[in-house]
Amino acid sequence: MPQAHEEGVPAATGARVRGGEWPAVALSFAYFFCVLAAYYVIRPLREQLVAAVGSTQLPWFYGATFIATLILTPVFAWLIARYSRRIVVPLVYLFFIGCLFAFVPLFADPALIGPRALGTVFFVWVSVFNLFVVSVFWIFMSDIWNVEQAKRLFPIIAVAGTAGALSGPTLTATLVNIIGVAPLLLVSASLLGLAVVCIVLLGRWARSHGERRFEAAQEAPIGGGMLDGLKQVFTDPFMRNMAILLLLADGIGTVNYALVADYSGTALTDAVSRTAFAARVDQVANLLTAVTQLTLTRWLLPRRGPGPVILVWAVVSMLALSLVVFSPDPHAPMAFGLPAVALALIVSRGLAYGMAEPARHSLYARVPRSVRYKGQNAVDTAVWRFGDTAIALGMNALRTLGVTTGGFASISALAALSAATIGWRMSRRVEATPAAEAQPATS
């Protein structure tokens, strides 16, 4: 049942999920659960590779991933310019399902291309896979929910991703000793297949009951050129600020990720202990994500908007990073047997996915479809991986100048402060602009 008459009602005064929204919320929940579970089923293979080779090799991996996303982002823009949403969104997931099937014989017999080549190719592919399947999910969500619904429902829907992130490693740990490594790829492909079913059903619901069904050309091809998304990043003030915000957030995550990889590679001497450590960090971070999504974000985002949510994430991340900055030995156990570098990663990552990501994506619900499908995808794929590459190269350069773990943590803390400033300003500007006027000039 349409809920258009509730557009102006403050979220705090009504039910979190309103009557006619329940079927689509359930499908959105299942969709995101399947996507993140599919990723986390195969993520341990990538993590083991990074810990084994050390963070100094990350620029090469990130650089290859950036090139791949730079190629695929215009391809996605070309598809969405010429074909409708109901074709392009399922097609993205079917492409990655096909890739998973193609990897099965290579993992069954690594000698076909060699273990090192397989590891490198798989690292790049998993990184691209993660960016595109999650980016397309949030674009689709921004396309079927309006601004008011996004603030109410995105914290709830985001919980599904956390549930999938917790379930994926559990599936891997349970099944790997039973079915082996290669069949895990088929488990991931099956989860993506379920996600495609959810996409089809959500599209049908949006055409019949969605708030945006009355908007002109809601499912029509967007038109334009294949480079529009990348152009928007440079020419549109909104997209430029969103790109900077993501790069700052990525700076925090990439630095922490590299510091933890270095700790794991030096303090833990075998693959089993490194894998167990990575799984433990993921589990605790994902648990923190779930707690923040179900409590603070669920309460704060509908009432105060994205700005305060981003601010809380940034401030708490700065406090966590201060543990590394002021610790006499950031690799020594500090709490629960974990060193300061791991605690900083857990807190910043947990709050990034529990708070910053739902808040950041809710800002896109107000912009035109051409920005959601082209600019947002460019930011969440090519810009993100450009940031990874630049930050990893910068860390290697700073190491030659004598910068240590505490110095890198200080830089991350400054990035968090800058992200808080930009996120707050962007939120205030978007919230003060009527939806009809929040149309970037390049759209």
Side-chain angles (χ1 to χ4, degrees), residues 238-306:
F238 174 82
M239 291 308 306
R240 188 162 55 245
N241 279 288
M242 293 298 284
I244 294 170
L245 177 61
L246 182 136
L247 286 173
L248 291 168
D250 182 44
I252 301 167
T254 302
V255 169
N256 285 340
Y257 182 71
L259 296 180
V260 170
D262 285 341
Y263 163 80
S264 177
T266 57
L268 307 174
T269 57
D270 60 273
V272 173
S273 60
R274 287 194 298 267
T275 302
F277 172 74
R280 186 183 179 194
V281 169
D282 279 346
Q283 287 175 334
V284 179
N286 292 340
L287 182 61
L288 178 59
T289 297
V291 171
T292 54
Q293 286 169 339
L294 291 169
T295 55
L296 188 56
T297 307
R298 182 176 179 272
W299 175 84
L300 191 59
L301 184 57
R303 288 167 173 78
R304 302 300 181 197

Coordinates of all heavy atoms in Angstrom, one line a residue, residues 238-306:
F238 N 28.4 18.1 -5.4 CA 27.9 17.0 -4.5 C 28.8 15.8 -4.6 O 29.3 15.2 -3.6 CB 26.5 16.7 -4.7 CG 25.9 15.6 -4.0 CD1 25.5 15.7 -2.6 CD2 25.9 14.3 -4.5 CE1 25.0 14.7 -1.9 CE2 25.4 13.2 -3.8 CZ 24.9 13.4 -2.5
M239 N 29.0 15.3 -5.8 CA 29.7 14.1 -6.0 C 31.2 14.2 -5.6 O 31.8 13.3 -5.1 CB 29.6 13.6 -7.5 CG 28.2 13.1 -7.9 SD 27.6 11.9 -6.7 CE 28.9 10.7 -6.7
R240 N 31.7 15.4 -5.9 CA 33.1 15.7 -5.5 C 33.3 15.6 -4.0 O 34.3 14.9 -3.5 CB 33.6 17.0 -6.0 CG 35.0 17.3 -5.8 CD 35.5 18.5 -6.7 NE 34.8 19.7 -6.5 CZ 34.0 20.3 -7.4 NH1 33.8 19.7 -8.6 NH2 33.3 21.4 -7.1
N241 N 32.4 16.1 -3.2 CA 32.5 16.0 -1.8 C 32.2 14.6 -1.3 O 32.9 14.2 -0.3 CB 31.5 17.0 -1.1 CG 32.0 18.4 -1.1 OD1 32.9 18.7 -0.3 ND2 31.4 19.3 -1.9
M242 N 31.3 13.9 -1.9 CA 31.1 12.5 -1.5 C 32.3 11.7 -1.8 O 32.7 10.8 -1.1 CB 29.9 11.9 -2.3 CG 28.6 12.6 -1.9 SD 28.1 12.3 -0.2 CE 27.6 10.6 -0.2
A243 N 33.0 12.0 -2.9 CA 34.3 11.2 -3.2 C 35.4 11.5 -2.2 O 36.1 10.6 -1.7 CB 34.8 11.6 -4.6
I244 N 35.5 12.8 -1.8 CA 36.5 13.2 -0.7 C 36.1 12.5 0.6 O 37.0 12.0 1.3 CB 36.5 14.7 -0.6 CG1 37.1 15.3 -1.8 CG2 37.4 15.1 0.6 CD1 37.0 16.8 -1.9
L245 N 34.8 12.5 0.9 CA 34.4 11.8 2.2 C 34.8 10.4 2.2 O 35.3 9.8 3.2 CB 32.9 12.0 2.4 CG 32.3 11.4 3.6 CD1 32.8 11.9 4.9 CD2 30.7 11.5 3.6
L246 N 34.5 9.7 1.1 CA 34.9 8.3 1.0 C 36.4 8.1 1.1 O 36.8 7.1 1.7 CB 34.3 7.7 -0.3 CG 34.6 6.2 -0.5 CD1 33.3 5.4 -1.0 CD2 35.7 5.9 -1.4
L247 N 37.1 8.9 0.4 CA 38.6 8.8 0.4 C 39.1 8.9 1.8 O 40.1 8.2 2.2 CB 39.3 9.8 -0.5 CG 39.1 9.5 -2.0 CD1 39.7 10.7 -2.8 CD2 39.9 8.2 -2.4
L248 N 38.6 9.8 2.6 CA 39.0 10.0 4.0 C 38.7 8.8 4.8 O 39.5 8.3 5.6 CB 38.4 11.3 4.6 CG 38.9 12.6 4.0 CD1 38.0 13.8 4.4 CD2 40.3 12.9 4.4
A249 N 37.4 8.3 4.6 CA 37.0 7.1 5.4 C 37.9 5.9 5.0 O 38.3 5.1 5.8 CB 35.6 6.8 5.1
D250 N 38.2 5.8 3.7 CA 39.0 4.7 3.2 C 40.4 4.8 3.7 O 41.1 3.8 4.0 CB 39.0 4.8 1.6 CG 39.8 3.6 1.0 OD1 39.7 2.5 1.5 OD2 40.6 3.9 0.1
G251 N 40.9 6.1 3.9 CA 42.2 6.2 4.5 C 42.4 5.6 5.8 O 43.4 5.0 6.2
I252 N 41.3 5.8 6.6 CA 41.3 5.2 8.0 C 41.4 3.7 7.9 O 42.2 3.0 8.5 CB 40.1 5.7 8.8 CG1 40.0 7.2 8.9 CG2 40.0 5.0 10.1 CD1 38.7 7.7 9.4
G253 N 40.5 3.2 7.1 CA 40.4 1.7 7.0 C 41.6 1.1 6.4 O 42.1 0.0 6.8
T254 N 42.2 1.7 5.3 CA 43.3 1.1 4.6 C 44.6 1.1 5.5 O 45.3 0.1 5.6 CB 43.6 1.8 3.3 OG1 42.4 1.7 2.5 CG2 44.8 1.2 2.6
V255 N 44.8 2.2 6.2 CA 45.9 2.3 7.1 C 45.8 1.3 8.2 O 46.8 0.5 8.5 CB 46.1 3.7 7.7 CG1 47.1 3.7 8.8 CG2 46.5 4.7 6.6
N256 N 44.6 1.2 8.8 CA 44.5 0.2 9.9 C 44.6 -1.2 9.4 O 45.2 -2.1 10.1 CB 43.1 0.4 10.5 CG 43.0 1.6 11.4 OD1 44.0 2.1 11.9 ND2 41.8 2.0 11.7
Y257 N 44.1 -1.5 8.2 CA 44.2 -2.8 7.6 C 45.7 -3.2 7.4 O 46.1 -4.3 7.7 CB 43.4 -2.8 6.3 CG 43.4 -4.1 5.5 CD1 42.7 -5.2 6.0 CD2 44.1 -4.3 4.3 CE1 42.6 -6.4 5.3 CE2 44.1 -5.4 3.6 CZ 43.3 -6.5 4.1 OH 43.3 -7.7 3.4
A258 N 46.5 -2.2 6.9 CA 47.9 -2.5 6.6 C 48.6 -2.7 7.9 O 49.5 -3.6 8.0 CB 48.5 -1.3 5.9
L259 N 48.3 -2.0 9.0 CA 49.0 -2.1 10.3 C 48.7 -3.5 10.9 O 49.6 -4.1 11.4 CB 48.6 -1.0 11.2 CG 49.0 0.4 10.8 CD1 48.5 1.4 11.8 CD2 50.5 0.5 10.6
V260 N 47.5 -3.9 10.7 CA 47.1 -5.2 11.3 C 47.7 -6.4 10.4 O 48.1 -7.4 11.0 CB 45.5 -5.4 11.4 CG1 45.1 -6.8 11.7 CG2 45.0 -4.4 12.4
A261 N 47.8 -6.2 9.1 CA 48.4 -7.2 8.3 C 49.9 -7.3 8.7 O 50.4 -8.4 8.7 CB 48.3 -6.8 6.8
D262 N 50.6 -6.2 8.9 CA 52.0 -6.3 9.4 C 52.1 -7.0 10.7 O 53.0 -7.8 10.9 CB 52.5 -4.8 9.5 CG 52.8 -4.2 8.1 OD1 52.9 -5.0 7.1 OD2 52.9 -3.0 8.1
Y263 N 51.2 -6.7 11.6 CA 51.3 -7.4 12.9 C 51.1 -8.9 12.7 O 51.8 -9.7 13.3 CB 50.2 -6.8 13.8 CG 49.9 -7.7 15.0 CD1 50.7 -7.7 16.1 CD2 48.8 -8.6 15.0 CE1 50.5 -8.6 17.2 CE2 48.5 -9.5 16.0 CZ 49.4 -9.4 17.1 OH 49.1 -10.3 18.2
S264 N 50.1 -9.2 11.9 CA 49.8 -10.7 11.7 C 50.9 -11.4 11.1 O 51.3 -12.5 11.4 CB 48.5 -10.8 10.9 OG 48.2 -12.1 10.6
G265 N 51.6 -10.7 10.1 CA 52.7 -11.4 9.4 C 53.9 -11.5 10.2 O 54.7 -12.5 10.0
T266 N 54.1 -10.7 11.2 CA 55.3 -10.8 12.0 C 55.1 -11.5 13.4 O 56.0 -12.3 13.8 CB 55.9 -9.3 12.3 OG1 54.9 -8.6 13.0 CG2 56.3 -8.6 11.1
A267 N 54.0 -11.3 14.0 CA 53.7 -11.9 15.3 C 53.2 -13.3 15.2 O 53.4 -14.1 16.2 CB 52.8 -11.0 16.1
L268 N 52.6 -13.6 14.1 CA 52.0 -15.0 13.9 C 52.7 -15.7 12.8 O 52.9 -15.2 11.7 CB 50.5 -14.8 13.6 CG 49.7 -13.9 14.6 CD1 48.2 -13.8 14.1 CD2 49.6 -14.6 16.0
T269 N 53.2 -16.9 13.1 CA 54.2 -17.5 12.3 C 53.6 -18.5 11.3 O 54.4 -19.0 10.4 CB 55.2 -18.2 13.2 OG1 54.6 -19.2 14.0 CG2 56.0 -17.2 14.0
D270 N 52.4 -18.9 11.4 CA 51.9 -19.9 10.5 C 50.5 -19.5 9.9 O 49.8 -18.6 10.5 CB 51.8 -21.3 11.2 CG 50.8 -21.3 12.4 OD1 51.3 -20.9 13.5 OD2 49.6 -21.5 12.2
A271 N 50.1 -20.2 8.8 CA 48.8 -19.8 8.2 C 47.6 -20.0 9.0 O 46.7 -19.3 9.0 CB 48.7 -20.6 6.9
V272 N 47.6 -21.1 9.8 CA 46.5 -21.4 10.7 C 46.2 -20.3 11.7 O 45.1 -19.8 11.9 CB 46.7 -22.8 11.4 CG1 45.6 -23.0 12.4 CG2 46.7 -23.9 10.4
S273 N 47.3 -19.9 12.4 CA 47.1 -18.8 13.4 C 46.8 -17.5 12.8 O 46.0 -16.7 13.3 CB 48.4 -18.7 14.2 OG 49.5 -18.3 13.4
R274 N 47.3 -17.2 11.6 CA 47.0 -15.9 10.9 C 45.5 -15.9 10.5 O 44.8 -14.9 10.6 CB 47.9 -15.7 9.7 CG 49.3 -15.3 10.0 CD 50.0 -14.7 8.8 NE 50.1 -15.7 7.8 CZ 51.2 -16.5 7.6 NH1 52.2 -16.5 8.5 NH2 51.2 -17.4 6.6
T275 N 45.0 -17.1 10.0 CA 43.6 -17.2 9.6 C 42.7 -17.1 10.7 O 41.7 -16.4 10.7 CB 43.4 -18.5 8.8 OG1 44.3 -18.6 7.7 CG2 42.0 -18.7 8.4
A276 N 43.1 -17.8 11.8 CA 42.2 -17.7 13.0 C 42.2 -16.3 13.6 O 41.1 -15.8 14.0 CB 42.8 -18.6 14.1
F277 N 43.3 -15.6 13.6 CA 43.4 -14.2 14.0 C 42.5 -13.3 13.2 O 41.7 -12.5 13.7 CB 44.8 -13.7 14.0 CG 44.9 -12.2 14.3 CD1 44.8 -11.7 15.6 CD2 45.2 -11.3 13.3 CE1 44.9 -10.3 15.9 CE2 45.3 -9.9 13.5 CZ 45.2 -9.5 14.8
A278 N 42.6 -13.4 11.8 CA 41.8 -12.6 10.9 C 40.3 -12.9 11.2 O 39.5 -12.0 11.1 CB 42.1 -12.9 9.5
A279 N 39.9 -14.2 11.4 CA 38.5 -14.5 11.6 C 38.0 -13.9 12.9 O 36.9 -13.4 13.0 CB 38.4 -16.0 11.7
R280 N 38.9 -13.9 13.9 CA 38.5 -13.3 15.2 C 38.3 -11.8 15.1 O 37.3 -11.2 15.6 CB 39.6 -13.6 16.3 CG 39.2 -13.1 17.7 CD 40.3 -13.4 18.7 NE 40.0 -12.9 20.0 CZ 40.8 -12.7 21.0 NH1 42.1 -13.0 20.8 NH2 40.5 -12.3 22.2
V281 N 39.2 -11.1 14.4 CA 39.0 -9.7 14.2 C 37.7 -9.4 13.4 O 36.9 -8.5 13.8 CB 40.2 -9.1 13.4 CG1 40.0 -7.7 12.9 CG2 41.5 -9.1 14.3
D282 N 37.4 -10.2 12.4 CA 36.2 -10.0 11.6 C 35.0 -10.2 12.5 O 34.0 -9.4 12.4 CB 36.2 -11.0 10.4 CG 37.0 -10.5 9.2 OD1 37.4 -9.3 9.2 OD2 37.3 -11.3 8.3
Q283 N 35.0 -11.2 13.3 CA 33.8 -11.5 14.1 C 33.5 -10.4 15.1 O 32.4 -10.0 15.2 CB 34.1 -12.9 14.8 CG 34.0 -14.1 13.9 CD 34.3 -15.4 14.7 OE1 35.0 -15.3 15.6 NE2 33.8 -16.5 14.2
V284 N 34.6 -9.9 15.8 CA 34.4 -8.9 16.8 C 33.9 -7.6 16.1 O 33.0 -6.9 16.5 CB 35.6 -8.6 17.6 CG1 35.4 -7.5 18.6 CG2 36.0 -9.9 18.3
A285 N 34.6 -7.2 15.0 CA 34.2 -6.0 14.2 C 32.8 -6.1 13.7 O 32.0 -5.1 13.8 CB 35.2 -5.7 13.1
N286 N 32.4 -7.2 13.2 CA 31.0 -7.4 12.7 C 30.0 -7.4 13.8 O 28.9 -6.9 13.6 CB 30.9 -8.7 11.9 CG 31.7 -8.6 10.6 OD1 32.1 -7.5 10.1 ND2 32.1 -9.8 10.0
L287 N 30.4 -7.9 15.0 CA 29.5 -7.9 16.1 C 29.3 -6.4 16.5 O 28.1 -6.0 16.8 CB 30.0 -8.7 17.3 CG 29.2 -8.7 18.5 CD1 27.8 -9.4 18.2 CD2 29.9 -9.5 19.6
L288 N 30.3 -5.6 16.6 CA 30.2 -4.2 16.9 C 29.3 -3.5 15.9 O 28.5 -2.6 16.2 CB 31.6 -3.6 17.0 CG 31.6 -2.1 17.3 CD1 31.0 -1.7 18.6 CD2 33.1 -1.5 17.2
T289 N 29.5 -3.8 14.6 CA 28.6 -3.2 13.6 C 27.2 -3.5 13.9 O 26.3 -2.6 13.8 CB 29.0 -3.8 12.2 OG1 30.4 -3.4 11.9 CG2 28.1 -3.3 11.1
A290 N 26.9 -4.8 14.2 CA 25.5 -5.1 14.5 C 24.9 -4.4 15.6 O 23.8 -3.9 15.6 CB 25.4 -6.6 14.7
V291 N 25.7 -4.2 16.7 CA 25.2 -3.5 17.9 C 24.9 -2.1 17.6 O 23.9 -1.5 18.0 CB 26.3 -3.7 19.0 CG1 25.9 -2.7 20.2 CG2 26.4 -5.1 19.5
T292 N 25.8 -1.4 16.9 CA 25.6 0.0 16.5 C 24.5 0.2 15.6 O 23.7 1.2 15.7 CB 26.9 0.6 16.0 OG1 27.3 -0.1 14.8 CG2 28.0 0.7 17.0
Q293 N 24.3 -0.7 14.6 CA 23.2 -0.6 13.7 C 21.8 -0.8 14.4 O 20.9 0.0 14.1 CB 23.3 -1.7 12.6 CG 24.3 -1.4 11.6 CD 24.6 -2.6 10.7 OE1 24.3 -3.8 11.1 NE2 25.2 -2.4 9.6
L294 N 21.8 -1.7 15.4 CA 20.5 -1.9 16.1 C 20.2 -0.9 17.2 O 19.1 -0.9 17.6 CB 20.6 -3.4 16.7 CG 20.5 -4.5 15.7 CD1 20.9 -5.8 16.4 CD2 19.2 -4.6 15.0
T295 N 21.2 -0.2 17.6 CA 21.0 0.8 18.7 C 21.2 2.2 18.2 O 20.2 2.9 17.9 CB 21.9 0.4 19.9 OG1 23.3 0.4 19.4 CG2 21.6 -0.9 20.5
L296 N 22.4 2.7 18.2 CA 22.7 4.1 18.0 C 22.3 4.6 16.6 O 21.6 5.6 16.5 CB 24.2 4.3 18.2 CG 24.6 5.8 18.2 CD1 23.9 6.6 19.3 CD2 26.1 5.9 18.5
T297 N 22.6 3.9 15.6 CA 22.3 4.3 14.2 C 20.8 4.3 14.0 O 20.2 5.2 13.4 CB 23.0 3.5 13.2 OG1 24.4 3.4 13.4 CG2 22.8 4.0 11.8
R298 N 20.2 3.2 14.5 CA 18.7 3.0 14.3 C 18.0 4.2 15.0 O 16.9 4.6 14.5 CB 18.3 1.7 14.9 CG 16.8 1.3 14.8 CD 16.6 0.0 15.4 NE 15.2 -0.4 15.3 CZ 14.3 -0.1 16.3 NH1 14.7 0.5 17.4 NH2 13.0 -0.5 16.1
W299 N 18.5 4.7 16.1 CA 17.9 5.8 16.8 C 18.3 7.2 16.2 O 17.4 8.1 16.1 CB 18.2 5.7 18.3 CG 17.7 6.9 19.1 CD1 16.5 7.0 19.6 CD2 18.4 8.1 19.4 NE1 16.4 8.3 20.3 CE2 17.5 8.9 20.1 CE3 19.7 8.6 19.1 CZ2 17.9 10.2 20.6 CZ3 20.1 9.8 19.6 CH2 19.2 10.6 20.3
L300 N 19.5 7.3 15.9 CA 20.1 8.7 15.6 C 19.8 9.1 14.1 O 19.5 10.3 13.9 CB 21.6 8.7 15.8 CG 22.3 10.0 15.8 CD1 21.7 11.0 16.8 CD2 23.8 9.8 16.1
L301 N 19.9 8.2 13.2 CA 19.8 8.6 11.8 C 18.4 9.1 11.4 O 18.3 10.2 10.8 CB 20.2 7.4 10.9 CG 20.2 7.7 9.3 CD1 21.1 8.8 9.0 CD2 20.5 6.4 8.6
P302 N 17.3 8.4 11.8 CA 16.0 9.0 11.5 C 15.7 10.3 12.2 O 15.0 11.2 11.6 CB 15.0 7.9 11.9 CG 15.8 6.7 12.1 CD 17.2 7.2 12.5
R303 N 16.3 10.5 13.4 CA 15.9 11.7 14.1 C 16.8 12.9 13.8 O 16.4 14.1 13.8 CB 16.0 11.4 15.6 CG 14.9 10.5 16.2 CD 15.2 10.0 17.5 NE 14.1 9.2 18.1 CZ 13.8 8.0 17.8 NH1 14.5 7.4 16.9 NH2 12.7 7.4 18.3
R304 N 18.1 12.7 13.6 CA 19.0 13.8 13.4 C 19.7 13.9 12.0 O 20.3 14.8 11.7 CB 20.2 13.7 14.5 CG 19.7 13.7 15.9 CD 18.9 15.0 16.2 NE 18.5 15.0 17.6 CZ 17.5 15.8 18.1 NH1 16.9 16.6 17.3 NH2 17.2 15.8 19.4
G305 N 19.5 12.8 11.2 CA 20.0 12.8 9.9 C 21.5 12.3 9.9 O 22.1 11.9 10.9
P306 N 22.1 12.3 8.7 CA 23.4 11.6 8.5 C 24.5 12.3 9.2 O 25.5 11.7 9.6 CB 23.6 11.7 7.0 CG 22.2 11.9 6.4 CD 21.5 12.7 7.4

